[in-house]
Amino acid sequence: MTPATLRLDFAAKRVDLSMQVDYGGSSYVVNTRSSEAVLMKLNPGQASFDGTKLPTTGCAAASTCGTSVQGMIVGESAQRAGFAYQINDTLPGAAAR
């Protein structure tokens, strides 16, 4: 994975993610920053965020491809963040990667 970029907008309760993951001969790119919609939201009263079916390019089957993310914000001034992700790239009738 190349370095990921997270942008947090506390006023809009929005989190944007940009990352590239190379795996199994494929290069996946997730980018929510170009979307007008809030694709990942900050959870009220918690220092966490999540999103499902995030736009992902580089998939074998674009119609069934998407990325799910769950993350957290830590530190006294919210200076750190971490997240886990799952890229769903399967063809109908094929085994998941």
Side-chain angles (χ1 to χ4, degrees), residues 48-66:
S48 65
F49 55 91
D50 57 65
T52 59
K53 297 183 183 176
L54 302 178
T56 306
T57 60
C59 299
S63 64
T64 58
C65 187

Side-chain angles (χ1 to χ4, degrees), residues 6-91:
L6 280 173
R7 189 181 84 191
L8 289 85
D9 183 337
F10 290 99
K13 298 178 183 162
R14 175 183 176 132
V15 179
D16 284 313
L17 170 66
S18 177
M19 72 174 179
Q20 177 179 331
V21 177
D22 297 321
Y23 177 76
S26 295
S27 183
Y28 301 100
V29 176
V30 179
N31 188 354
T32 64
R33 293 186 78 170
S34 60
S35 175
E36 294 294 322
V38 177
L39 300 175
M40 281 201 303
K41 62 182 173 60
L42 285 168
N43 298 318
Q46 302 175 21
S48 65
F49 55 91
D50 57 65
T52 59
K53 297 183 183 176
L54 302 178
T56 306
T57 60
C59 299
S63 64
T64 58
C65 187
T67 299
S68 298
V69 172
Q70 290 187 335
M72 63 183 169
I73 305 158
V74 296
E76 289 180 23
S77 302
Q79 70 269 32
R80 305 238 189 275
F83 65 92
Y85 64 91
Q86 178 180 356
I87 298 173
N88 302 303
D89 181 16
T90 59
L91 293 170

